[in-house]
Amino acid sequence: MQTRPTTPFGRRPLSLAMVARQTATENFAAMPGAAETVVHKWRLFRALTEAKEPLGVTERALSVLHALLSFHQETALSLPGNDAQCEPVAGAAGGIVVFPSNKELSIRAHGMAPATLRRHLACLVEAGLIIRRDSPNGKRFARKGQGGAIEDAFGFDLAPLVVRSSEIENLAEEVRAENRAIALLREKITLTRRDIVKMIETGLEEGVSGDWDEAHQRYATLSGCYGRGLSRADLEALAGELAALAAKIHKSLETHIKAQNMSGNESQTERHIQNQTTKTSDLEPSLQEGRADPSEPNLEEPGGAIDRAPETSSDRPRTVDPKPTLRAYPLGMVLEACPDIADYGPSGEISSWRDLAAAAATVRSALGVSPDAWSQALDVLGEHDASIVIAAILQRGDEIKSAGGYLRVLTEKARAGEFSLGPVLMALLRGKAGKAARERKRTG
């Protein structure tokens, strides 16, 4: 005769949740066709691992459950019924009971301490994944009948895993879908952040009109909100704000390109009119009487051939160079990227480009940059850009061993058209934002 232990041994309490889980298991076992429900225990355990958070179990508790599953001889979990293979492991109330000792269970749980083992077993019971079937003295064992088959078993019933298999699979699928959505959001945020940085650099380098300092401040604020602990809703909100900022910056660049195209079209039209006028004069030889042939240089007048060069160039399109020689870097962005230079300004602060130039002249001497290297930098880069370079060198500190040699290298690159300050400032700003994020993570 089989017994039906439903209460835990000793001082362990019985909760209503335990009663509800036992009742649900018994009702499922009493349903027609319940014995036909077969679950692959290791596939189910994988789903449990993915759905551990909604189920309320920890990694260590799952390690104990893995050890319990290893004591079940068959790979398939099914409730006992007409299947003869399930009789050896059938326990009380038609369950699937395993009855390892604490010593053996600890060994299979990778040497887990007895107190820790008991705590995680209680966690599995509270989560409704196993049911305690305690004997009168609390020991775990199986009693065999006259034919050698197990008649009663006392230990841990694994039947709730079979009963809740569909629920566990659904939870695991929901977790997988959530993780996929979060991964896509993080990918979108990464790409949008990269686009924003590149577009700001382009806007600075190409001299596009706009408040790039404000755009970078907004980007830095949004990037500071990004972290690993954000929920899906937070990531969606952040991705939307970054996308709006990227669209705004992209619109500024498009407006600049359209303005350039309109300027080029007007110049092309003007040149076309000039060419038409020239061709009309060629068709009227009387207009050329008394004039020298413009194709032949006037050798009688000194410098005649040279004086005609501007006339030749006047036939070219009168367009404005889309890339001005003076690059406009906001002073606020420079000071944010290179805050250390402010200590050398008048009264310990910098409020204008003139203050920055004065501070750079002082720092130049302190860094050991020779007057000759500084003079060449001023000639090639200009006072503003040369001052920004000195501020960047000061900000990088010990990373640059020879400030004078480094400045000469940058001057030569600028003379060859291979150097721009935009990437330098953006790199310093990104480094500053990353350092601030690490500090917040450490303190937070």
Side-chain angles (χ1 to χ4, degrees):
M1 176 180 178
Q2 291 185 340
T3 58
R4 278 183 67 184
T6 58
T7 58
F9 171 77
R11 292 178 295 179
R12 300 188 186 99
L14 175 67
S15 65
L16 292 178
M18 295 181 186
V19 177
R21 183 54 55 194
Q22 291 174 8
T23 303
T25 303
E26 293 169 0
N27 292 338
F28 182 86
M31 293 174 59
E36 298 177 0
T37 303
V38 180
V39 178
H40 193 289
K41 64 180 181 179
W42 299 126
R43 292 175 184 169
L44 182 63
F45 181 78
R46 180 182 178 87
L48 274 167
T49 303
E50 293 178 316
K52 63 180 184 294
E53 291 186 3
L55 288 171
V57 292
T58 62
E59 293 86 349
R60 301 296 298 277
L62 288 176
S63 298
V64 176
L65 181 60
H66 186 280
L68 288 174
L69 288 172
S70 68
F71 284 101
H72 182 68
Q73 299 297 324
E74 302 294 330
T75 302
L77 291 177
S78 61
L79 297 179
N82 298 327
D83 189 356
Q85 292 182 352
C86 295
E87 291 181 1
V89 293
I96 310 170
V97 180
V98 292
F99 38 88
S101 65
N102 281 344
K103 181 179 179 180
E104 290 298 324
L105 188 57
S106 175
I107 291 174
R108 294 204 185 183
H110 310 291
M112 187 176 292
T116 307
L117 185 66
R118 289 192 294 271
R119 185 170 69 253
H120 292 305
L121 284 171
C123 177
L124 292 173
V125 173
E126 287 293 328
L129 298 178
I130 60 174
I131 297 176
R132 287 185 180 273
R133 303 293 187 189
D134 288 347
S135 66
N137 62 358
K139 300 294 183 180
R140 304 182 197 122
F141 62 90
R143 182 184 295 115
K144 296 183 179 180
Q146 294 181 354
I150 294 179
E151 189 176 79
D152 283 329
F154 300 95
F156 298 103
D157 192 351
L158 304 178
L161 295 177
V162 180
V163 175
R164 302 183 64 185
S165 60
S166 298
E167 176 192 353
I168 293 170
E169 290 289 349
N170 292 335
L171 287 175
E173 182 58 34
E174 291 177 4
V175 171
R176 284 192 290 267
E178 183 75 7
N179 291 337
R180 282 194 298 269
I182 290 177
L184 290 175
L185 282 172
R186 291 188 178 278
E187 180 180 292
K188 180 180 179 181
I189 289 173
T190 300
L191 293 175
T192 307
R193 290 175 64 190
R194 185 183 68 188
D195 292 344
I196 291 173
V197 171
K198 296 291 185 181
M199 286 190 294
I200 290 177
E201 290 180 359
T202 302
L204 290 171
E205 290 302 309
E206 298 295 336
V208 179
S209 60
D211 192 352
W212 298 110
D213 191 12
E214 190 274 337
H216 179 266
Q217 290 285 351
R218 178 62 176 162
Y219 167 74
T221 301
L222 294 176
S223 296
C225 299
Y226 185 61
R228 294 186 176 181
L230 295 180
S231 63
R232 180 178 178 179
D234 294 335
L235 290 173
E236 287 177 348
L238 180 59
E241 293 182 5
L242 285 171
L245 178 59
K248 180 180 178 181
I249 297 175
H250 190 265
K251 185 176 181 181
S252 299
L253 297 180
E254 282 186 339
T255 303
H256 181 74
I257 293 173
K258 290 179 180 178
Q260 281 186 333
N261 291 337
M262 291 178 62
S263 177
N265 291 337
E266 291 176 358
S267 301
Q268 187 175 3
T269 303
E270 182 180 354
R271 182 179 180 182
H272 180 66
I273 295 173
Q274 292 175 351
N275 291 340
Q276 285 183 337
T277 304
T278 304
K279 292 179 181 180
T280 303
S281 62
D282 290 339
L283 294 175
E284 298 291 340
S286 59
L287 296 177
Q288 300 294 333
E289 293 178 1
R291 299 183 183 181
D293 187 356
S295 63
E296 296 178 2
N298 190 352
L299 301 180
E300 296 179 356
E301 298 182 6
I306 298 177
D307 293 338
R308 189 169 290 112
E311 298 177 4
T312 305
S313 61
S314 64
D315 291 339
R316 298 178 182 176
R318 299 177 184 176
T319 58
V320 180
D321 188 358
K323 186 175 181 180
T325 57
L326 178 61
R327 300 184 180 95
Y329 299 99
L331 181 60
M333 178 180 289
V334 175
L335 295 179
E336 184 182 357
C338 312
D340 293 349
I341 193 69
D343 297 335
Y344 298 87
S347 302
E349 62 178 3
I350 294 176
S351 58
S352 64
W353 286 105
R354 180 174 298 178
D355 293 344
L356 179 63
T362 303
V363 172
R364 184 273 306 171
S365 178
L367 292 176
V369 177
S370 65
D372 179 64
W374 179 238
S375 176
Q376 291 185 26
L378 290 175
D379 293 340
V380 176
L381 296 171
E383 186 178 43
H384 286 184
D385 287 7
S387 300
I388 296 174
V389 171
I390 290 295
I393 293 175
L394 175 66
Q395 192 64 35
R396 293 182 61 180
D398 297 336
E399 297 180 18
I400 300 175
K401 301 301 181 182
S402 175
Y406 188 72
L407 181 61
R408 288 184 184 275
V409 171
L410 295 184
T411 302
E412 292 302 321
K413 286 187 177 182
R415 182 179 284 112
E418 300 174 354
F419 172 71
S420 61
L421 277 172
V424 175
L425 293 176
M426 295 305 297
L428 289 171
L429 290 169
R430 285 196 298 269
K432 182 181 177 182
K435 184 178 179 180
R438 289 191 295 270
E439 288 294 334
R440 285 195 303 271
K441 186 178 180 180
R442 258 198 308 268
T443 58

